[in-house]
Amino acid sequence: NSDFQTDVFISRFAELKKEPAKQQGLAGRFRAFSFGLINYQTGKRIPDIAFLHKLAQHFGVSAVLLLGLSDVKSTEQDIQTA
């Protein structure tokens, strides 16, 4: 059992992918993860820390947002909020 909120991750990942500039580089950056991307998008697999880190860097958001632990989109907003 895990407390990971799969639905939150899937919806936030899908929302971030809608940004055309970020979508273009996604396949190239995650070429090794291309099959895994589909599994993460559908909730068949739970992303590990390394994948979350790369994904957060790619989209310029915090991993905390992807995990559903915060609604703050950018790390700059996190700093301002703190």
Side-chain angles (χ1 to χ4, degrees):
N1 275 331
S2 173
D3 291 337
F4 182 74
Q5 297 179 13
T6 305
D7 294 340
V8 172
F9 173 78
I10 291 170
S11 66
R12 292 189 177 176
F13 187 22
E15 189 65 32
L16 291 168
K17 283 181 50 189
K18 289 180 182 178
E19 299 175 24
K22 296 294 182 176
Q23 189 177 22
Q24 287 179 345
L26 190 63
R29 181 165 188 171
F30 296 99
R31 188 170 297 133
F33 295 107
S34 60
F35 181 71
L37 283 175
I38 295 167
N39 288 330
Y40 297 132
Q41 292 172 55
T42 60
K44 290 181 181 178
R45 288 192 62 193
I46 295 174
D48 64 12
I49 291 172
F51 179 79
L52 279 173
H53 181 255
K54 288 181 181 183
L55 198 62
Q57 282 185 322
H58 176 78
F59 287 114
V61 299
S62 71
V64 175
L65 174 85
L66 293 169
L67 292 170
L69 300 173
S70 172
D71 293 330
V72 178
K73 189 171 183 177
S74 78
T75 52
E76 288 180 25
Q77 287 175 326
D78 273 343
I79 293 168
Q80 291 173 358
T81 301

